[in-house]
Amino acid sequence: IGINPGLFAAYVGHHYAGPGNHFWRCMYLSGLIPEPMSAYDDYKLLSFGIGFTNICARTTRGSADLKKQEIRDGAEILKKKLLMYRPKIAVFNGKGIFEVFSGSKNFNIGKQPDKLEGTDT
């Protein structure tokens, strides 16, 4: 779960597509995917049970360009997605994203002790 698409990712139409982004290498080295991939292989992740979404769909130069209300609205949309798709695990790419989603700054980085209400996520 990301905050929103960056300019380059939106331009090429693939997640984590920036030339200096280490996301794909980290996915492979972590063992989450069985082979090295790039942003242009993002469609293959569904076959491994991995999907992407963002809190906000609007592309910006940086997340600071988003309005607080659209981030809050996006968090509500995200909750509905998680209730509908019921993933086993939801990974937030950034502390700030989880703060907005959870409505709290009081949490530890890593696996959270409580599941999303109404799910096994």
Side-chain angles (χ1 to χ4, degrees), residues 1-2 15-16 23-24 27 42 45-46 50-54 81:
I1 300 166
H15 295 274
Y16 304 103
F23 175 83
W24 293 98
M27 288 285 284
D42 57 4
L45 291 184
L46 287 175
I50 299 171
F52 290 124
T53 194
N54 292 303
K81 286 180 186 179

Side-chain angles (χ1 to χ4, degrees), residues 62-102:
S63 60
D65 296 331
L66 296 168
K67 295 177 177 77
K68 289 183 180 186
Q69 186 60 50
E70 72 183 308
I71 296 170
R72 284 191 295 269
D73 292 346
E76 288 304 313
I77 293 168
L78 175 59
K79 286 177 187 175
K80 290 175 185 173
K81 286 180 186 179
L82 294 172
L83 287 167
M84 180 172 33
Y85 293 108
R86 299 183 180 277
K88 182 176 181 181
I89 299 170
V91 178
F92 290 79
N93 188 359
K95 176 180 176 258
I97 301 167
F98 189 72
E99 287 175 352
V100 170
F101 180 78
S102 68

